[in-house]
C-alpha cells in the first residue's frame, strides 16, 4: 500500500512521456534536486593584461625659428628645437596648448601670430631627427580644439602611435629666438621651459571678423577704449563681449594693419628709408641708434629712431624761433618714450616737426634727440628757444650742449626755458594744494612788476595759511615767511633790477636742505632762475609768450592723438598721413584768408587785436618828445605817455635803419615798439597802449607786429605738399624685403612690459587715461 501511494502521488517522468499518460504540462513545475558543491578548489589565476604601451606621449619636440611662410618640412633640419612636457595632452584644449607654448618660450600673452603645426608618422623614433621629417610625414595645422584633439588621438593610438609629439611653432617673436637668446635679452633657460602650465586664459586669438570690422575705426581713432569697442561690436553684431576680449580684438586689428609689435621694429626703418631714397624726397631726416646682436652680425637691436619730414622742416622756417620738446610714455608692447618737438604757426597751432622713440628719458637719449633736432630742424637758425621740462636728465643734456667744451655737436646759442605746466605740477606735488598751483601759473605769466610782487606775496601767505591748517607751522617759520614777504613788498620798481633785488632777498646760495620740508613758496623757488620760468624775466623775449605745452594739448592734437599705442611702423605711418592732412587743410584755409582783403591777421591774432583795439579807446595819449635823425644809419625815437584810469605807462616807438652791405640794395627799416607794461617786448605784438599811440599819430599798428604773426608767414608755413604714395600701404611688402635685405632690426626684449599671468583675463575701459598718468600698467594699448 505504501509503495502504491507513493507511486501514484509522484509519477515518473518516463510515465508522462508514454502514450495515454499524464502530460508534464498538467503536473506543474518539477522540483529538481540541487547540485552539491564539491570541495572548494583553488581559484584559477586571472590572465594578466598587457600593460599599455608607453610611448612617452607627454614629451614634445618643439621646432622653431623658420623664416619662410610655408616651407618644405625637410627645412626643419635648419631649425632649433626645445623639449618640453605637455601637462595633460588628452584634456588640453587648443587654447591651453597656445598658453603652454607662450609659457615655454617666454612670449608675451598677447602674441597674435602664433602658428602651430603637428607632424605624425607611424614608425616615429623615440628621438626624431629633423632630417627625417620629410614630405612623407602627415602635417596637421592646429587651429581649433577639434584639430588638436584629432592630432592627439593619432599620436596616442595604442598600437602604432608616436613616442613623442613633434610640433613646429612660429611667430614674429620666435623666428629669431636664437639670436635673442645669444643677446641675453631675458631668454628662458631650457631647464625652466619644462615647467607645468599655469593657465592664463582660455582663448588667445580673437575672432578675425571682429578685428577686421573694428580696424577702420581704430585707424581713425587709435585711442578707442575697450568700452567703445564693446559698444561698437554690440551695435553691429548684437554680441556683448568682455573688455578683455575687446582688448584682444584691438591688438589683432593693429596686427592686421601694421604687423606685430615685434616686426614693426624692422618695418619702420625700411619705410623711412623707402620714403627718403626711393620716392623722390631726400630732405627727410632719419637717424637710428642700434647695436649689433652678439654673434649675429645680420641682426641689430633698435634702441632709438628719429624722423623729421621735409615739409615740417621747411615749415619751421616761417614759425617763431621757439620749439617745445616733450616726452610721452609709449603704451604698446614695449616700453619707451615718444619724444616730440613742436613749433607754433602764426595762428598759435602746434606743429610737430620732429619725432623720436627712445628707450627712456635719460641724459644720453635727450642729448641724441637734441643733436638731431639741431642738425635736422634748426640748422643754421640762431637764437632758437627750447622750452622743456625741468627734469634733471634733460637739464644736464641742455647744459652739455650749451657749455661743455668737449661736446662734439655744441649748441651754444640755444635759449633754454622751462615749461610752466611741468613746473606747476612739481609745485603741486610740493604744496599739495591746487589753488596754490593755479596762482603760481598766474605768477609765471605775469608781465608787470607790481603785479608780480603782489602775487608772490599772496603765494607766501596762502602757503603759510595752508601749513597752519595742516598743523605744521612754527613760530620760527612764521617769522621767516613774514620777513620774506616784507622784503618782496619793498621791491616796488622791478622793471630793470628785479633779478638783483631777488638775489638780495633770497641770497645767492642754493641750499635746499630745509626747502623740501617747508611749504613756503619763497623757499621752494629760491634756487630756480627766474629767467627760466617767469615771463617777466624772459630776456630778449625769447619765449614769444609761449609758456610750454600741456599734456591735455598734446592729447587733443590731431597728429599725436592715440599714436602712442600703435606699433612703431604705425607711429611713422600715422604721423606721415596726419601731417599730410593738416598741411592740405591748413594750406587751403591760409590761402583763402590771404586772398580776403578784409582779413589782416590769422584768426587768433585778429581776435586779440580787436580786443586790444577796443581797450585802447579808453586810453589818453600825451605826447612827450621827438628826436629826428637825418642820416640813414641812425634811429628815430618817439616817446609818449599813455594815461590810464589810475596810472600811466611810457610808450617808445623806434625805427631802426639798417644799411645793406651791397650798394645796389636799399636800406631796410624795422619798426620797434616798447612799453613799460613789457607786453610788446615779451609778446612781440603791440599792446593796447601802443595801439592807442598809433591811432593818435595816424600810424598803422600792424607795422609793429612781428612778421611771424602775419598771414604771409602762415601761408608759407603750410605751403608744403605730401605725396600720398608715401603712406604705408601694406606691411607685408616690407616683410618680403627680408629676402634681400641683410640687416634685420629687432626690439630689445628687456623693454617688454612685465604683465601679470592673468593679464589677458582682465580688461579696462579707460586705457588712455592710464597712459596719460604714466601708469606702469601700459595705458591705451596694454590694459591693466
Amino acid at each position: 500500500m505504501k509503495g502504491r501511494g507513493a507511486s501514484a502521488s509522484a509519477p515518473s517522468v518516463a510515465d508522462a512521456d508514454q502514450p495515454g499518460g499524464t502530460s508534464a504540462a498538467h503536473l506543474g513545475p518539477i522540483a529538481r534536486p540541487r547540485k552539491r558543491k564539491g570541495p572548494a578548489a583553488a581559484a584559477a589565476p586571472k590572465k594578466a593584461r598587457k600593460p599599455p604601451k608607453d610611448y612617452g606621449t607627454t614629451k614634445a619636440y618643439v621646432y622653431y625659428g623658420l623664416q619662410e611662410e610655408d616651407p618644405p618640412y625637410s627645412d626643419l633640419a635648419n631649425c632649433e628645437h626645445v623639449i618640453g612636457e605637455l601637462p595633460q595632452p588628452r584634456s588640453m584644449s587648443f587654447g591651453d596648448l597656445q598658453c603652454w607654448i607662450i609659457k615655454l618660450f617666454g612670449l608675451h600673452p598677447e602674441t597674435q601670430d602664433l602658428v602651430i603645426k603637428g607632424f605624425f608618422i607611424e614608425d616615429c623614433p623615440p628621438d626624431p631627427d629633423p632630417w627625417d621629417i620629410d614630405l612623407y610625414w602627415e602635417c596637421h595645422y592646429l587651429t581649433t580644439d577639434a584639430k588638436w584633439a584629432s592630432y592627439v588621438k593619432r599620436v596616442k593610438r595604442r598600437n602604432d602611435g608616436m613616442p613623442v609629439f613633434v610640433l613646429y611653432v612660429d611667430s614674429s617673436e620666435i623666428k629669431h629666438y636664437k639670436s635673442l637668446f645669444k643677446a641675453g635679452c631675458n631668454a628662458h633657460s631650457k631647464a625652466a621651459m619644462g615647467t607645468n602650465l599655469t593657465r592664463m586664459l582660455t582663448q588667445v586669438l580673437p575672432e578675425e571678423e571682429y578685428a577686421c570690422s573694428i580696424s577702420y575705426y581704430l585707424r581713425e581713432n587709435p585711442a578707442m577704449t575697450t568700452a567703445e569697442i564693446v559698444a561698437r561690436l554690440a551695435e553691429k553684431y548684437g554680441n556683448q563681449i568682455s573688455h578683455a576680449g575687446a582688448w584682444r580684438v584691438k591688438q589683432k586689428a593693429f596686427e592686421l594693419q601694421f604687423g606685430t609689435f615685434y616686426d614693426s621694429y624692422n618695418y619702420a626703418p625700411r619705410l623711412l628709408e623707402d620714403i627718403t631714397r626711393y620716392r623722390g624726397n631726400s630732405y627727410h631726416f632719419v637717424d637710428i641708434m642700434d647695436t649689433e646682436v652678439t654673434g649675429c652680425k645680420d641682426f641689430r637691436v633698435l634702441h632709438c629712431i628719429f624722423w623729421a619730414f621735409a615739409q615740417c622742416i621747411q615749415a619751421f622756417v616761417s614759425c617763431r624761433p621757439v620749439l617745445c620738446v616733450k616726452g610721452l610714455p609709449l603704451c604698446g608692447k614695449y616700453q619707451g618714450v615718444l619724444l616730440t618737438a613742436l613749433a607754433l604757426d602764426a595762428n598759435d597751432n602746434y606743429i610737430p616737426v620732429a619725432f623720436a622713440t627712445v628707450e627712456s628719458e635719460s641724459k644720453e637719449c635727450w642729448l641724441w634727440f637734441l643733436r638731431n633736432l639741431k642738425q635736422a630742424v634748426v640748422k643754421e637758425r640762431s637764437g632758437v628757444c627750447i622750452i622743456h621740462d625741468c627734469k634733471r636728465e634733460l637739464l644736464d643734456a641742455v647744459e652739455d650742449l650749451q657749455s661743455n667744451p668737449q661736446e662734439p655737436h655744441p649748441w651754444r646759442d640755444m635759449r633754454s626755458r622751462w615749461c610752466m605746466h611741468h613746473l606747476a605740477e612739481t609745485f603741486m606735488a610740493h604744496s599739495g594744494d591746487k589753488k596754490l598751483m593755479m596762482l603760481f601759473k598766474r605768477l609765471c605769466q605775469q608781465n608787470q612788476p607790481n603785479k608780480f610782487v603782489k602775487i608772490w606775496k599772496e603765494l607766501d601767505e596762502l602757503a603759510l595759511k595752508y601749513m597752519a591748517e595742516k598743523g605744521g607751522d612754527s613760530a620760527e617759520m612764521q617769522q621767516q615767511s613774514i620777513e620774506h614777504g616784507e622784503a618782496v613788498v619793498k621791491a616796488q620798481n622791478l622793471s630793470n633790477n628785479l633779478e638783483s633785488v631777488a638775489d638780495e632777498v633770497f641770497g645767492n646760495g642754493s641750499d635746499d636742505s630745509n626747502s623740501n620740508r617747508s611749504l613756503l613758496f619763497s623757499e621752494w623757488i629760491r634756487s630756480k632762475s627766474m629767467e627760466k620760468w617767469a615771463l617777466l624775466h624772459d630776456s630778449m623775449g625769447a619765449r614769444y609768450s609761449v609758456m610750454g605745452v600741456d599734456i591735455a594739448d598734446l592729447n587733443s592734437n590731431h597728429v599725436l592723438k592715440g599714436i602712442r599705442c600703435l606699433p612703431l611702423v604705425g607711429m611713422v605711418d600715422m604721423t606721415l598721413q596726419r601731417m599730410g592732412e593738416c598741411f592740405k587743410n591748413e594750406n587751403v584755409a591760409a590761402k583763402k584768408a590771404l586772398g580776403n582783403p578784409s582779413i589782416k591777421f590769422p584768426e587768433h591774432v585778429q581776435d586779440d587785436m580787436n580786443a586790444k583795439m577796443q581797450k585802447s579807446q579808453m586810453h589818453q595819449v600825451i605826447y612827450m618828445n621827438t628826436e629826428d635823425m637825418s642820416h640813414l644809419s641812425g634811429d628815430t625815437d618817439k616817446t609818449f605817455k599813455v594815461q590810464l584810469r589810475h596810472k600811466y605807462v611810457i610808450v617808445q616807438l623806434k625805427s631802426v635803419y639798417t644799411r645793406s652791405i651791397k650798394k645796389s640794395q636799399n636800406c631796410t627799416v624795422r619798426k620797434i615798439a616798447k612799453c613799460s607794461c613789457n607786453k610788446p617786448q615779451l609778446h612781440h605784438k603791440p599792446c593796447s597802449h601802443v595801439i592807442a599811440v598809433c591811432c593818435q599819430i595816424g600810424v598803422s599798428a600792424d607795422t609793429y607786429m612781428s612778421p611771424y604773426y602775419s598771414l604771409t608767414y602762415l601761408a608759407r608755413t603750410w605751403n608744403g605738399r605730401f605725396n600720398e604714395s608715401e603712406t604705408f600701404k601694406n606691411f607685408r611688402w616690407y616683410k618680403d624685403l627680408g629676402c634681400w635685405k641683410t640687416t634685420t632690426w629687432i626690439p630689445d626684449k628687456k623693454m617688454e612690459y612685465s604683465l601679470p599671468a592673468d593679464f589677458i583675463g582682465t580688461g579696462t575701459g579707460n586705457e588712455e587715461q592710464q597712459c596719460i598718468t604714466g601708469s606702469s600698467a601700459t595705458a591705451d594699448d596694454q590694459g591693466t
Side-chain angles (χ1 to χ4, degrees), residues 130-150:
W131 290 100
D132 296 334
I133 302 176
D134 52 22
L135 295 174
Y136 296 101
W137 287 55
E138 293 181 16
C139 179
H140 296 255
Y141 289 84
L142 308 179
T143 56
T144 63
D145 287 342
K147 292 183 178 181
W148 165 245
S150 175

Side-chain angles (χ1 to χ4, degrees), residues 222-226 247 250-251 329-333 564-565 753 755 759 764-784:
M224 280 186 69
T225 62
T226 55
W247 178 84
K250 184 177 180 180
Q251 305 311 305
L330 296 181
C331 310
K333 175 178 178 178
R564 290 178 288 156
C565 64
Y753 278 105
L755 304 178
F759 170 77
T764 178
N766 196 2
E767 303 95 330
E768 180 68 20
Q769 182 63 29
Q770 291 184 355
C771 192
I772 294 172
T773 57
S775 172
S776 59
T778 61
D780 51 0
D781 185 38
Q782 290 281 86
T784 181

